[in-house]
C-alpha cells in the first residue's frame, strides 16, 4: 500500500522521530520479534535501521506480524517503537 500525499508530512515527522531511537532499542525490537537479521557489533544505528527496513520489505509476512502485534507481550518493551514502525510501513 502506498502513502497518500496527505500522509507524507505525518510519516516524515514520524521518521524523524524514529531517528532519535537508540541502536540498542532497535536491536531489542529485532530480538523480540525474532527477525532473522545479521547485525554486526560495528554496525551503526543507520545500518541496523536500514537492514530492518530491507528485511521487512523483503518479508511482507513479518510486516503483518509486526503490525498485528499491538498489545501483545512479544513486543512489550518496544511497543511504541513497533507501533510507529508499523504505521510507517502501512
Amino acid at each position: 500500500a502506498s502513502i497518500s500525499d496527505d500522509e507524507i508530512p505525518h510519516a516524515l515527522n514520524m521518521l524523524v522521530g524514529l531517528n532519535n531511537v537508540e541502536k540498542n532499542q532497535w536491536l531489542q525490537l529485532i530480538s523480540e520479534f525474532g527477525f532473522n537479521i545479521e547485525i554486526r557489533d560495528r554496525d551503526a544505528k543507520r545500518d541496523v535501521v536500514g537492514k530492518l527496513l530491507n528485511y521487512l520489505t523483503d518479508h511482507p509476512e513479518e510486516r503483518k506480524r509486526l503490525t498485528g502485534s499491538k498489545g501483545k507481550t512479544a513486543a512489550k518493551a518496544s511497543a511504541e517503537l513497533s507501533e510507529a514502525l508499523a504505521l510507517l510501513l502501512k
Side-chain angles (χ1 to χ4, degrees), residues 17-68:
L18 288 175
N19 190 47
N20 294 324
V21 175
E22 297 295 327
K23 177 182 173 182
N24 64 344
Q25 290 175 281
W26 288 113
L27 295 175
Q28 186 176 9
L29 177 82
I30 290 167
S31 175
E32 286 176 356
F33 277 92
F35 294 147
N36 188 19
I37 301 172
E38 183 181 338
I39 305 294
R40 301 170 299 190
D41 288 338
R42 67 176 185 236
D43 283 344
K45 175 174 60 172
R46 70 177 178 275
D47 299 321
V48 173
V49 173
K51 288 179 179 184
L52 176 59
L53 292 176
N54 285 331
Y55 178 82
L56 292 171
T57 298
D58 293 341
H59 298 89
E61 69 282 359
E62 296 287 31
R63 281 178 67 175
K64 288 180 184 174
R65 191 163 65 94
L66 179 70
T67 58

Side-chain angles (χ1 to χ4, degrees), residues 64-76:
K64 288 180 184 174
R65 191 163 65 94
L66 179 70
T67 58
S69 70
K70 237 185 216 184
K72 294 187 181 170
T73 56
K76 64 180 178 197

